[in-house]
Amino acid sequence: MDLTYTGDDLAFRDQVRTFLEAELPADLRHKVHHHLRLHKDDYVRWHRILARQGWVAPGWPREYGGPGWTPVQRHIFEEECARAGTPPVLPFGVNMVAPVIMAFGSQAQKDYYLPRILSCEDWWCQGYSEPGAGSDLASLKTTAVRDGDHYVVNGQKTWTTLAQHADMIFCLVRTDPGVRKQEGISFLLIDMHAPGVTVRPIIMLDEDHEVNEVFFDNVRVPVANLVGQENRGWTYAKYLLGHERTGIAAVGRSKRELARLKALALREHKNGLPLLNDPLFAAKVADLEIELMALEMTVLRVLAQADKAPGPEASVLKVRGTEIQQRVSELMVEAAGPLALPFDPAYLEGEREHSIIDDDFAAPLLPHYFNFRKTSIYGGSNEIQRTIISQMILGL
């Protein structure tokens, strides 16, 4: 493919930059650039700013309220948002359940849920992983038993990101225990406020409440909330994960973080010279930048296949993208050295203007490093992705 931006592409990039300079609130920009914690109001505020502009769902077709952008325009937009330091648009509604509803949902589901996703009237979370069914997701045990015009759901989901805020959860449930495990799964949309739904926090190593356990105790879900056909949920789940894994690559964010790494390595010194001048450290940064450039080219190739859903190549993006994200965070901690050690949750939460070590650049780096250990696990662990690559791409 031709990777040279056209005049129209450059004009579009200028349009995006102008919009971001005018509309991105300074406090949100500050939080993102300094790795401070984002709260629900931060995500919702930015989502609705983009929604007013018609840009909150770059991958959606016009018929459902998207901008109808080309793959190159979507790439430019995501790169410029990362460069500017916008909060992410949470993927669970816009990029994960919405494509499934568009492809497999009923007209009533499309008419009801898609506008609410665009407006952020509904906050979505993902009900996939369970205790004992993480990488081996098809072993899930949460059941949905048909009772007239409802399903009765019982079971547990875990590692459910931001479920404490959610209005809806899209869930994989077992509707037929008597067949091969991949064939007895269905895809349900469940109201998080329904009787019998309980959310319990899981506090992470950095003391952040990001993930949760979700319990279902005789939760009644209308049959109308079944997406597609009963017992075909595994097909829809794989379709969704293709979209998730493509987005996990996060090339624009890694480019922004790489620039921050270089700035940090110029600030810190070794033997009287900037750390970036040290041949060994400079080689690590150069190797990382080469890997990131290669990943970006691969993302563009995948996005150019606009006529089909992401396939097994999405696993390549997931593996390389998350490895690069983790490597950037590791090198940042390495560059900051002892300055990254103090743990200051009050500063991370925005309760204090400056960190206790008086180095606002270095203070969030270690919590950020710990948090990003998750990237090679969520969305399907990288070990599983390598199996998919070996079987479906290499034919091994």
Side-chain angles (χ1 to χ4, degrees):
M1 59 183 293
D2 184 359
L3 298 178
T4 304
Y5 286 158
T6 66
D8 288 344
D9 292 333
L10 294 174
F12 175 75
R13 185 180 66 183
D14 291 340
Q15 180 188 6
V16 172
R17 287 183 177 178
T18 299
F19 168 79
L20 293 174
E21 289 169 3
E23 299 296 334
L24 175 58
D27 63 317
L28 297 185
R29 185 193 304 267
H30 175 81
K31 283 187 173 184
V32 171
H33 277 303
H34 289 79
H35 296 143
L36 303 180
R37 290 175 181 165
L38 294 164
H39 301 113
K40 179 180 180 179
D41 290 346
D42 298 325
Y43 291 113
V44 171
R45 182 159 46 124
W46 180 240
H47 183 116
R48 289 179 174 166
I49 289 171
L50 287 178
R52 289 196 295 270
Q53 183 72 8
W55 289 359
V56 77
W60 288 25
R62 292 186 187 276
E63 63 181 295
Y64 295 121
W69 288 340
T70 67
V72 173
Q73 285 177 317
R74 296 203 302 269
H75 177 75
I76 290 172
F77 176 73
E78 291 166 2
E79 185 171 75
E80 292 301 318
C81 283
R83 184 187 63 85
T86 70
V89 173
L90 292 176
F92 309 108
V94 170
N95 296 329
M96 294 169 69
V97 73
V100 174
I101 292 173
M102 290 177 196
F104 307 106
S106 67
Q107 191 59 49
Q109 289 169 346
K110 296 174 187 177
D111 292 343
Y112 181 76
Y113 288 113
L114 296 181
R116 296 170 69 90
I117 291 171
L118 281 179
S119 66
C120 205
E121 190 170 353
D122 288 332
W123 180 298
W124 285 82
C125 63
Q126 179 183 20
Y128 272 28
S129 295
E130 299 181 5
S135 296
D136 184 16
L137 182 59
S139 294
L140 65 89
K141 293 181 172 56
T142 295
T143 60
V145 178
R146 184 74 179 262
D147 180 24
D149 58 358
H150 284 77
Y151 289 101
V152 179
V153 178
N154 285 279
Q156 177 188 356
K157 299 294 179 178
T158 193
W159 310 121
T160 312
T161 303
L162 300 177
Q164 70 268 32
H165 305 312
D167 304 296
M168 297 292 299
I169 183 170
F170 54 91
C171 253
L172 294 182
V173 295
R174 188 161 301 285
T175 42
D176 188 348
V179 297
R180 192 170 69 94
K181 60 183 181 180
Q182 287 87 351
E183 296 175 355
I185 293 171
S186 297
F187 194 105
L188 279 186
L189 312 177
I190 302 177
D191 186 346
M192 289 290 286
H193 307 296
V197 178
T198 302
V199 178
R200 295 181 186 170
I202 299 174
I203 304 303
M204 304 300 286
L205 186 62
D206 60 358
E207 296 186 9
D208 194 13
H209 177 192
E210 184 180 9
V211 293
N212 304 267
E213 297 175 288
V214 180
F215 297 87
F216 303 96
D217 183 14
N218 292 322
V219 178
R220 297 185 66 81
V221 180
V223 171
N225 285 22
L226 172 72
V227 174
Q229 301 177 39
E230 187 174 276
N231 298 328
R232 294 281 293 167
W234 190 247
T235 298
Y236 313 147
K238 290 189 294 183
Y239 181 88
L240 182 150
L241 286 170
H243 285 269
E244 180 184 12
R245 290 164 186 162
T246 303
I248 287 174
V251 169
R253 182 173 62 193
S254 289
K255 291 171 76 171
R256 181 190 71 220
E257 294 302 294
L258 179 63
R260 287 177 59 80
L261 169 62
K262 291 179 178 179
L264 177 62
L266 285 171
R267 190 193 75 169
E268 300 301 318
H269 284 70
K270 179 180 179 181
N271 298 327
L273 294 173
L275 179 60
L276 197 57
N277 290 3
D278 176 75
L280 291 178
F281 193 84
K284 295 177 183 179
V285 175
D287 180 68
L288 185 62
E289 188 161 14
I290 292 167
E291 293 286 348
L292 182 54
M293 291 171 64
L295 175 65
E296 182 175 17
M297 297 304 103
T298 307
V299 168
L300 287 169
R301 287 164 55 201
V302 172
L303 290 177
Q305 302 176 47
D307 59 338
K308 67 175 186 177
E313 64 273 13
S315 294
V316 177
L317 304 184
K318 199 274 178 179
V319 171
R320 299 305 294 139
T322 56
E323 288 176 344
I324 288 170
Q325 292 163 37
Q326 291 180 340
R327 188 66 181 133
V328 173
S329 69
E330 290 168 8
L331 288 180
M332 281 188 169
V333 172
E334 182 177 337
L339 291 174
L341 290 177
F343 180 47
D344 190 357
Y347 174 65
L348 298 177
E349 290 286 353
E351 299 169 1
R352 184 167 38 239
E353 184 177 359
H354 297 292
S355 68
I356 54 176
I357 60 170
D358 201 29
D359 190 330
D360 296 348
F361 196 106
L365 294 181
L366 200 56
H368 177 70
Y369 163 84
F370 283 134
N371 185 271
F372 266 57
R373 300 308 91 196
K374 69 189 179 188
T375 63
S376 54
I377 301 172
Y378 67 48
S381 70
N382 284 8
E383 291 80 3
I384 295 298
Q385 302 317 306
R386 290 187 176 92
T387 300
I388 293 172
I389 292 166
S390 67
Q391 293 176 346
M392 300 187 68
I393 297 179
L394 303 178
L396 300 178

